[in-house]
Amino acid sequence: MNRCLICQKQIKDFSLNKFLNPNELICDNCYCQMNSIDKKFKINGIKAIALYKYNDFMKKVILQIKMHKDYELAQNILNNKINSLKRKFKNYYLVYVPSTKDSDQQRGFNHVETIFNGIGIKKDNIFFKKENYKQSNIKFKDRNKISKIIDLKKRPQINQKYLIVDDIITSQNSLKTCINLLKKNNVSKIKVLVLAYNCRNNKKFYSLKLLKRIIFKI
Amino acid sequence: MFSYDNSGRCYCRKCLEFGGEVVNISKYIDPPNFKFKLNYDLSKEQEGISNDLLNCNGDAYVNAVCGAGKTEIVFKSINQFLKKGQRVGFIIPRKEVVKEIFTRLNSVYKNIKITYVCGGHTKDVEGDIIVLTTHQSYKYKNKFGLIIVDEYDAFPFKNNEVLHKFVQDSCYGKKIFLSATFDKELQNRNYFSLNKRYHQQKLPVPVFKKVPDNLQGIFLFFLIRKLLKNSNKVILVFFPTIALSKKYFLILKVFFKGEIIIFNSKISDKDKEFKKIKNRKYKIIITTTILERGITIENVDLVVVHANSRIFDKSSLIQIAGRVGRVYPYTKGSITFIANDKNLAIEESIIEIKNKNE
């Protein structure tokens, strides 16, 4: 009898999910709250997919992985999507947006590598951060400074298809930096995959917010 | 319930959130040369229990009604342990109450180090008396000679075996448990009851109003208007969820501009807003169960909307009703439970409050 990795309640025996995946480690309730969107969008012309919305629940789950150092949750969080992702990115070279070295050491593992571990046979850590710099602690307007922090440590192969992965996308600056570094080295086939979508520069989002403000503050 | 990390080491899944550093302080303290001054006398019942706690052996359970003055009862025991050179811990499940207790202790004790430790405030961890949340207790293994666990039945402490173990392990001496709502099973140990508030006046009894769900908004509007005619009263309106409270707040805001505020766990600047509430800047406060325990506001009236919601169990309703009439001379106030039907929790809570009044 398995217990859910997130809410620690027992996983019900009689559900379609459990029937198809008998070794499931996350319960249906938690899967629902994670709000899977599979959003397709573009960054500087490069096709990107975001798997989940960065809502309060997703925040809690990612916190459990990063701050509470839950290795088993990091390994199993993409269990229900791993097969389709494997098929989709079969011939891609998996590369990771770099993490801060100190946090990785303190945590004992790199969460991005562990989460996306199941996808792809070819994978490598070709980016690195020149200094200890946490993008999550920086204010939105200063986030373009990351372009001076991330650099390549290995030269990428020109005719290879690259898949850049990251856990959360907010200002898109980290990913843009990595994309530009690959483009500079004449890589033409690039795609992006992120776990949680937290972008705010969406015109529809802003007009809705403005409308809400007008109605309720009068 | 454990997992393995990438170097093959085993880690416990229940202890995931408790990863911070353990506090490295001495087991005993130098008996501080403190001064203790209480500006008022205890009631006869409070004195009685205070002495009983001093003399009893082993752990003690005190069932005191809301606003009975539980904090004052334990002062003699605190003084006893401080003189013995043993550190005293005040453990509370809720962060908001920690700060209230800390202020109260500071006003009564001089020449002694009192600290409070809770989420977001963990820089200073040492003291002769430490006020902390249950979550912080894992850092203080075997560091307290006396612990006073207040709000024993509050979330998140209730039924959480991990937190219970941490709290038990933090104390090598005596433990005193305080609450207004205990389960019956504890009655065969050192069990003391305090059924009267310190000002000896009766507990206000809640009134149940049967109102269908979709008419509760209109009913609430007229009820608030009626209660507001009694100027100087602050009205607390409790909702089961934040989402529901936000919906009603948006509509009521239009009619009661400037006098109404919403308070829940997700707002920014909680401390600032709470201070404004205590200073009676707002007349109507829309809130959730976050304000159900520990806080004291003078001269309040109370309304609970959707009172038959699952979130409001018997002890929750008793605690909410206990917010009224805590400070002399404002010992009376109206408490209204609005729901489309009476359920067991509402019935039992009203019966228990009536029984305590006899």
Side-chain angles (χ1 to χ4, degrees):
Chain A
M1 183 62 74
N2 285 334
R3 277 192 183 257
C4 172
L5 290 179
I6 301 174
C7 63
Q8 305 200 349
K9 292 190 186 151
Q10 281 186 335
I11 297 181
K12 289 191 192 145
D13 265 336
F14 303 108
S15 70
L16 190 63
N17 191 17
K18 181 89 176 131
F19 181 70
L20 296 172
N21 308 306
N23 290 323
E24 189 53 82
L25 293 168
I26 299 177
C27 72
D28 289 340
N29 207 353
C30 289
Y31 269 133
C32 283
Q33 286 186 278
M34 290 208 294
N35 199 359
S36 163
I37 52 174
D38 287 338
K39 188 181 178 71
K40 296 193 176 136
F41 59 108
K42 282 196 176 175
I43 308 174
N44 288 355
I46 303 289
K47 286 188 182 169
I49 299 183
L51 299 172
Y52 294 99
K53 191 173 181 188
Y54 191 59
N55 57 7
D56 280 342
F57 191 79
M58 207 58 203
K59 231 191 225 174
K60 187 180 107 169
V61 171
I62 295 183
L63 199 82
Q64 193 170 327
I65 295 176
K66 287 170 90 163
M67 207 167 93
H68 301 327
K69 309 177 195 177
D70 195 349
Y71 187 68
E72 190 170 0
L73 181 59
Q75 283 180 308
N76 292 296
I77 192 170
L78 284 184
N79 274 357
N80 59 340
K81 297 193 185 248
I82 196 73
N83 289 328
S84 69
L85 288 173
K86 263 189 192 162
R87 267 183 270 128
K88 196 164 191 159
F89 298 110
K90 204 163 105 175
N91 294 317
Y92 279 79
Y93 209 110
L94 196 70
V95 289
Y96 316 98
V97 170
S99 303
T100 316
K101 195 175 170 190
D102 280 359
S103 341
D104 278 357
Q105 239 175 9
Q106 225 195 18
R107 197 182 303 120
F109 63 94
N110 179 312
H111 55 289
V112 182
E113 290 181 32
T114 318
I115 292 174
F116 292 99
N117 194 29
I119 308 174
I121 313 164
K122 301 172 279 190
K123 43 194 147 195
D124 209 350
N125 220 340
I126 63 172
F127 299 108
F128 75 106
K129 277 188 180 167
K130 289 191 227 173
E131 45 186 81
N132 279 335
Y133 179 94
K134 279 202 181 189
Q135 181 76 325
S136 47
N137 288 344
I138 305 293
K139 284 189 189 170
F140 200 82
K141 51 179 181 162
D142 296 330
R143 287 205 171 193
N144 48 5
K145 291 192 184 149
I146 189 85
S147 54
K148 303 190 181 147
I149 307 279
I150 298 182
D151 205 351
L152 276 167
K153 59 179 174 180
K154 288 186 193 172
R155 185 156 278 178
Q157 298 170 19
I158 298 178
N159 290 324
Q160 187 64 258
K161 291 196 245 187
Y162 278 91
L163 176 68
I164 313 179
V165 294
D166 201 3
D167 52 349
I168 313 168
I169 180 169
T170 311
S171 63
Q172 303 189 350
N173 278 309
S174 315
L175 278 157
K176 279 184 188 169
T177 313
C178 293
I179 291 174
N180 289 336
L181 282 168
L182 285 182
K183 277 186 174 172
K184 254 198 246 179
N185 281 277
N186 296 321
V187 176
S188 52
K189 298 171 197 163
I190 309 174
K191 280 202 179 165
V192 167
L193 175 69
V194 282
L195 183 71
Y197 187 79
N198 192 23
C199 291
R200 292 185 268 159
N201 36 357
N202 191 351
K203 286 182 192 162
K204 204 174 164 186
F205 173 82
Y206 272 130
S207 60
L208 254 175
K209 212 176 176 187
L210 193 62
L211 205 66
K212 266 191 190 173
R213 259 199 211 160
I214 297 175
I215 295 180
F216 291 122
K217 278 209 172 161
I218 284 183
Chain B
M1 283 256 323
F2 46 84
S3 313
Y4 294 95
D5 70 4
N6 60 336
S7 52
R9 266 177 314 176
C10 198
Y11 63 94
C12 168
R13 294 204 64 79
K14 288 189 178 176
C15 301
L16 275 174
E17 23 181 335
F18 306 107
E21 283 176 10
V22 169
V23 164
N24 201 359
I25 51 179
S26 57
K27 187 169 177 182
Y28 298 101
I29 53 172
D30 289 330
N33 196 4
F34 63 92
K35 294 202 176 105
F36 168 74
K37 187 178 179 198
L38 201 56
N39 286 334
Y40 46 87
D41 290 328
L42 298 181
S43 71
K44 198 174 53 167
E45 288 88 2
Q46 284 177 310
E47 270 291 340
I49 297 196
S50 184
N51 291 330
D52 285 336
L53 285 175
L54 263 184
N55 300 328
C56 77
N57 288 326
D59 300 343
Y61 296 82
V62 181
N63 186 341
V65 297
C66 302
K70 290 176 290 193
T71 326
E72 286 79 3
I73 296 175
V74 298
F75 283 149
K76 275 196 185 165
S77 304
I78 297 181
N79 296 348
Q80 179 193 50
F81 276 82
L82 285 175
K83 286 182 188 153
K84 278 202 271 188
Q86 296 184 6
R87 196 178 284 107
V88 176
F90 222 111
I91 306 185
I92 307 165
R94 294 279 177 115
K95 204 162 55 166
E96 292 80 27
V97 189
V98 165
K99 292 175 197 164
E100 279 228 13
I101 302 268
F102 172 70
T103 339
R104 288 259 284 278
L105 288 176
N106 253 333
S107 66
V108 165
Y109 284 94
K110 301 275 183 238
N111 209 15
I112 182 176
K113 179 150 196 230
I114 309 181
T115 38
Y116 76 95
V117 185
C118 59
H121 194 268
T122 47
K123 278 195 188 145
D124 195 3
V125 290
E126 192 160 350
D128 297 326
I129 304 180
I130 306 182
V131 189
L132 60 156
T133 46
T134 47
H135 273 70
Q136 300 289 330
S137 56
Y138 75 90
K139 297 182 183 168
Y140 292 89
K141 190 163 184 178
N142 268 332
K143 305 286 187 204
F144 294 115
L146 167 72
I147 55 167
I148 299 141
V149 185
D150 201 357
E151 312 279 3
Y152 182 70
D153 55 333
F155 175 82
F157 189 61
K158 185 174 185 178
N159 291 332
N160 187 330
E161 47 186 10
V162 179
L163 289 177
H164 271 73
K165 181 86 176 33
F166 286 142
V167 164
Q168 294 276 344
D169 281 352
S170 70
C171 175
Y172 55 83
K174 193 170 183 173
K175 306 179 189 97
I176 300 179
F177 298 95
L178 309 173
S179 177
T181 36
F182 270 124
D183 295 327
K184 290 186 186 156
E185 356 169 309
L186 300 166
Q187 289 207 3
N188 47 357
R189 306 187 205 179
N190 284 330
Y191 184 86
F192 307 105
S193 277
L194 183 59
N195 284 345
K196 280 207 171 147
R197 287 184 158 168
Y198 71 92
H199 49 58
Q200 307 284 322
Q201 301 292 315
K202 290 196 172 179
L203 300 165
V205 182
V207 170
F208 172 72
K209 296 278 183 199
K210 185 164 178 171
V211 181
D213 276 339
N214 23 10
L215 295 178
Q216 288 184 7
I218 304 179
F219 186 84
L220 181 66
F221 169 68
F222 284 111
L223 180 64
I224 292 181
R225 242 187 31 170
K226 185 172 111 181
L227 293 173
L228 273 182
K229 284 189 184 153
N230 230 336
S231 60
N232 276 337
K233 284 256 181 187
V234 167
I235 306 174
L236 286 172
V237 188
F238 285 85
F239 288 89
T241 56
I242 297 180
L244 201 63
S245 69
K246 276 188 186 169
K247 281 189 196 164
Y248 279 81
F249 176 62
L250 285 175
I251 304 173
L252 290 171
K253 202 162 86 157
V254 176
F255 298 102
F256 299 107
K257 256 193 210 175
E259 304 179 309
I260 188 169
I261 185 182
I262 189 167
F263 187 79
N264 53 43
S265 52
K266 300 242 165 101
I267 58 172
S268 51
D269 273 341
K270 264 200 288 199
D271 295 333
K272 246 192 196 174
E273 297 294 323
F274 192 59
K275 265 192 194 159
K276 284 189 197 166
I277 290 177
K278 283 215 96 171
N279 293 333
R280 307 175 76 78
K281 192 171 175 210
Y282 300 100
K283 289 209 159 184
I284 310 165
I285 301 163
I286 305 282
T287 183
T288 57
T289 52
I290 190 178
L291 288 185
E292 134 192 317
R293 289 170 187 268
I295 55 130
T296 302
I297 305 178
E298 301 174 351
N299 208 5
V300 287
D301 278 337
L302 212 131
V303 185
V304 182
V305 185
H306 285 281
N308 57 349
S309 156
R310 265 186 166 186
I311 296 201
F312 296 125
D313 59 357
K314 182 182 94 165
S315 50
S316 179
L317 288 172
I318 294 180
Q319 289 284 353
I320 291 178
R323 300 304 104 209
V324 183
R326 294 170 74 90
V327 186
Y328 192 80
Y330 309 107
T331 61
K332 296 215 166 87
S334 87
I335 309 174
T336 322
F337 290 165
I338 307 177
N340 66 344
D341 204 0
K342 212 182 220 184
N343 68 353
L344 197 62
I346 297 179
E347 258 191 66
E348 285 187 335
S349 58
I350 297 183
I351 291 177
E352 190 162 319
I353 297 180
K354 279 191 187 158
N355 283 342
K356 292 257 170 89
N357 269 338
E358 272 135 39

